[in-house]
Amino acid sequence: MSAGESMSYESKDKQRVFNKEFMPHIDAMYNFAYRLTLDEDDAKDLVQETYLKAFRFIKSFEEGTNAKAWLFRILKNSFINNYRKTSKQPNKVDYQEVESYYNSESVDEKITTDLRVETVQHMIGDEITNALNSLDIDFRTVIILCDLEGFTYEEMAKILDIPIGTVRSRLHRARNLLKEKLVNYATSMGYKDKRK
Amino acid sequence: MEVEDKQKCFELLQLVIDGQATQQQTLELEQHLSDCENCRAEFELSQSIKEGLKSRLKRPSVPSELATSIQSKVLEIV
Ligand SMILES: [Zn+2]
């Protein structure tokens, strides 16, 4: 079917918005989908499903507002609906633990002294990728959104449907867990902390 | 360091590292870092991890047919 005369003005307009506002984010969308599913085919399906949903609900998108955040939110919700139930995530996030992170000092102190900037700088992409992928999905997600995609806390709160305070505490916890993983990698790779 | 101060440090570090601090908050952190070695180490480490994530994580390449496949499916809905 070609974009012929049978198409109403409205659908032409929908397609214009779709191509102009949504399609440019396909790289970021695929990247996000891949980091969530860790599978190329699942990522492809998820992105496709998200775009089709986005087209169906295009009227609820306000032109000129943040299309990327809007799309990411749909993708995240689709992921939860489709994959989360069936995925094998051994440890669920303990939100109590997340919310009370400010009161727990012990973890933070220890990690810093065990990992050096130089060590991190010597790590290659694979090591960082593995560390990130081994995080529980909720923690992985906030790091992807913040550090890889550069969303603000406010945008993340909208994408994830959680308060900004929770975004920030989850991010903090996620980073500490990532540091822990990197420490383990550093140790197994034989990096030595010279300060010891 | 008191728990309350520590909490403030975490918050400031995070805001500055994520580029979401006000000028006042950035200044406040800079002042604190100049006389707190722990927080300075934490700050530098966190920054280098964020940098590593951004620059060294391989981005998977999008399957070439994905965009066209999406666009033709959209035309079917229309
Ligand atoms: Zn300090």
Side-chain angles (χ1 to χ4, degrees):
Chain A
M1 178 181 160
S2 68
E5 287 130 57
S6 59
M7 205 180 277
S8 65
Y9 170 76
E10 195 197 54
S11 24
K12 272 185 188 162
D13 209 40
K14 272 161 80 175
Q15 274 197 288
R16 180 188 59 79
V17 173
F18 186 83
N19 288 324
K20 181 174 143 252
E21 303 261 11
F22 296 170
M23 288 310 285
H25 300 295
I26 194 160
D27 277 36
M29 291 283 279
Y30 183 77
N31 192 45
F32 185 36
Y34 181 74
R35 301 228 174 270
L36 291 177
T37 60
L38 302 177
D39 180 274
E40 285 175 19
D41 288 331
D42 286 348
K44 224 166 79 177
D45 291 347
L46 184 55
V47 170
Q48 183 151 299
E49 186 193 330
T50 305
Y51 268 103
L52 295 183
K53 271 188 199 162
F55 188 75
R56 286 199 188 92
F57 297 105
I58 203 161
K59 279 182 182 164
S60 62
F61 171 73
E62 265 180 72
E63 228 185 314
T65 61
N66 193 333
K68 188 179 170 187
W70 194 77
L71 290 169
F72 267 59
R73 185 168 179 273
I74 300 176
L75 193 147
K76 184 266 313 178
N77 287 335
S78 302
F79 172 73
I80 291 173
N81 289 337
N82 302 352
Y83 299 91
R84 198 170 197 173
K85 287 172 226 155
T86 55
S87 74
K88 10 180 192 345
Q89 294 290 340
N91 38 348
K92 285 178 83 183
V93 175
D94 183 343
Y95 289 105
Q96 284 302 112
E97 183 189 21
V98 173
E99 300 305 341
S100 63
Y101 80 102
Y102 283 134
N103 301 322
S104 67
E105 295 174 76
S106 53
V107 199
D108 308 306
E109 297 281 4
K110 197 169 165 291
I111 293 161
T112 305
T113 53
D114 281 356
L115 188 62
R116 307 180 72 228
V117 171
E118 289 81 354
T119 307
V120 173
Q121 284 168 346
H122 280 117
M123 284 183 173
I124 54 165
D126 285 349
E127 291 162 343
I128 300 176
T129 303
N130 288 341
L132 179 65
N133 289 351
S134 67
L135 293 185
D136 182 276
I137 193 78
D138 282 335
F139 292 133
R140 206 192 314 153
T141 302
V142 288
I143 289 185
I144 296 166
L145 294 178
C146 184
D147 294 340
L148 270 60
E149 299 300 336
F151 284 112
T152 63
Y153 304 145
E154 204 182 331
E155 289 166 338
M156 289 168 71
K158 283 183 188 151
I159 293 169
L160 301 172
D161 295 303
I162 54 177
I164 288 186
T166 310
V167 168
R168 292 178 61 184
S169 57
R170 200 178 291 179
L171 192 57
H172 180 84
R173 184 86 185 113
R175 284 173 169 159
N176 279 337
L177 289 167
L178 185 68
K179 276 181 210 160
E180 257 176 67
K181 305 280 182 191
L182 292 173
V183 169
N184 294 342
Y185 271 105
T187 312
S188 69
M189 297 297 288
Y191 290 112
K192 290 231 167 66
D193 187 340
K194 288 179 196 132
R195 285 179 303 184
K196 272 181 188 165
Chain B
M1 197 189 282
E2 299 294 317
V3 173
E4 208 177 296
D5 291 339
K6 204 171 164 57
Q7 171 175 343
K8 206 176 165 202
C9 272
F10 287 156
E11 291 186 345
L12 279 178
L13 276 176
Q14 200 180 42
L15 284 167
V16 173
I17 281 167
D18 293 332
Q20 294 178 62
T22 62
Q23 230 179 345
Q24 171 68 34
Q25 286 169 320
T26 309
L27 209 70
E28 213 176 315
L29 181 71
E30 275 169 13
Q31 271 165 3
H32 177 72
L33 293 189
S34 65
D35 50 37
C36 179
E37 203 187 319
N38 269 348
C39 286
R40 203 163 57 234
E42 174 74 28
F43 179 71
E44 283 165 8
L45 181 64
S46 300
Q47 249 184 344
S48 75
I49 294 175
K50 180 162 180 141
E51 194 44 50
L53 283 165
K54 264 199 292 194
S55 62
R56 268 169 287 158
L57 223 57
K58 287 182 204 115
R59 279 183 96 90
S61 47
V62 185
S64 52
E65 77 289 356
L66 185 57
T68 31
S69 156
I70 288 169
Q71 272 160 329
S72 66
K73 284 217 164 59
V74 160
L75 280 176
E76 281 167 30
I77 311 177
V78 177

